[in-house]
Amino acid sequence: MSDETLLLPVGGTGDRPPLYCVHAVSGSPFPYVPFGRSFGAGRPVFAVEAPGFDNDARPVADVTELAERYAALLRTRHPAGQTALLGWSFGGVVAHETALRLQETGTDAALLVLVDSTCPTPAPVPPEPELLRRFVQDMLAEAGLPAHEVRATHAALPQESAPEPFFAAATAGDSLLADLAPALLHRRYDVFRAHVHALYTHRARPGLRSRTLCVQAADSPPVARTWDGVLDGAEVVTVPGDHHSVWSGAGLERIAAEVSGRLAGVEVR
């Protein structure tokens, strides 16, 4: 299966250098659909889907491997390097490493945007019961469920410690998850678990020359300073919302405006 199938067009057409938005820990490209639509028609915008999210590919549990694959794909599509990268949360970590990989082969990214993304340092991977509950919490929040409903559902989740009984219990009865097949949840969880492992075992490298913008969600813990010593001279802007709600309403509008403004001068060479 070609990695070209991992690209979802989410907005824009034309010949201007495209923007590639790297999936968060869920592996889903769909949170970027509203962003692509609001970005304007003058520049192509693609969302990157993780291997295994919507197919039978093996989930990738290593940031370096993901970055190598995405960098190779972008080099094939844009040999002159006229691209820009955006990543939300875990996606920012992968986008940063991808930009480094491009730089090392002489195809620098024109812009790197990190949206509410914390710089990683190696740490023990959380145990399975905690990962299972985090997965459901992240999935519901990413789907746009209000924070109070996410908390209520999270509090009602079973205490099972293995995926099969956990998903069977989580989708039983009147649960908000009742319409989801346990098999689908298990497949998506495999991707989530692989990415959490990738995040907790990765150390971000300094040396990126690309222009970088760190977008901080106003209602999230500060993240921009975590990149000190890795990214030098990064711009920082704060937008309305929390870690998930920045992709709607005023937060979405502000992100689109900030990114569009910084890409205004990036043209095909």
Side-chain angles (χ1 to χ4, degrees):
M1 181 181 297
S2 168
D3 280 349
E4 284 277 351
T5 63
L6 301 178
L7 297 180
L8 175 68
V10 293
T13 57
D15 298 327
R16 304 181 77 182
L19 174 66
Y20 291 92
C21 305
V22 181
H23 58 82
V25 70
S26 71
S28 173
F30 298 113
Y32 295 121
V33 171
F35 172 72
R37 290 173 177 168
S38 69
F39 195 75
R43 188 182 304 274
V45 182
F46 295 89
V48 182
E49 177 183 302
F53 176 77
D54 203 24
N55 53 56
D56 295 328
R58 173 186 62 86
V60 178
D62 182 76
V63 169
T64 298
E65 182 180 343
L66 285 169
E68 287 176 345
R69 289 179 63 168
Y70 299 161
L73 175 59
L74 297 189
R75 281 195 298 270
T76 300
R77 292 172 63 88
H78 310 286
Q82 291 121 355
T83 63
L85 288 163
L86 178 148
W88 167 45
S89 195
F90 171 71
V93 175
V94 180
H96 171 256
E97 182 64 26
T98 301
L100 281 170
R101 298 276 159 175
L102 290 171
Q103 178 177 289
E104 290 164 357
T105 56
T107 54
D108 295 15
L111 177 70
L112 171 66
V113 182
L114 307 178
V115 180
D116 222 39
S117 180
T118 302
C119 184
T121 55
V125 178
E128 186 102 86
E130 182 178 345
L131 286 181
L132 285 163
R133 297 173 71 84
R134 282 194 193 183
F135 164 68
V136 172
Q137 186 175 16
D138 180 78
M139 183 183 64
L140 294 174
E142 193 172 282
L145 200 68
H148 70 278
E149 292 189 37
V150 173
R151 289 192 295 269
T153 303
H154 184 262
L157 288 172
Q159 298 301 317
E160 300 286 354
S161 60
E164 289 80 4
F166 178 87
F167 292 131
T171 56
D174 296 328
S175 166
L176 289 170
L177 307 173
D179 291 335
L180 300 177
L184 173 63
L185 286 173
H186 200 298
R187 189 177 74 204
R188 297 283 169 82
Y189 174 63
D190 286 344
V191 174
F192 176 89
R193 178 170 51 186
H195 292 166
V196 171
H197 183 278
L199 178 65
Y200 276 74
T201 55
H202 182 68
R203 186 181 296 279
R205 301 182 293 139
L208 184 67
R209 297 189 298 267
S210 299
R211 184 180 185 185
T212 305
L213 174 66
C214 289
V215 177
Q216 167 73 55
D219 299 331
S220 291
V223 296
R225 293 299 303 272
T226 66
W227 290 91
D228 287 356
V230 175
L231 292 173
D232 294 325
E235 302 173 79
V236 180
V237 297
T238 300
V239 303
D242 59 27
H243 189 66
H244 289 90
S245 67
V246 291
W247 294 112
S248 62
L252 173 62
E253 293 176 4
R254 179 74 184 281
I255 294 172
E258 295 286 352
V259 176
S260 179
R262 284 162 179 78
L263 283 175
V266 179
E267 302 293 343
V268 175
R269 291 197 294 266

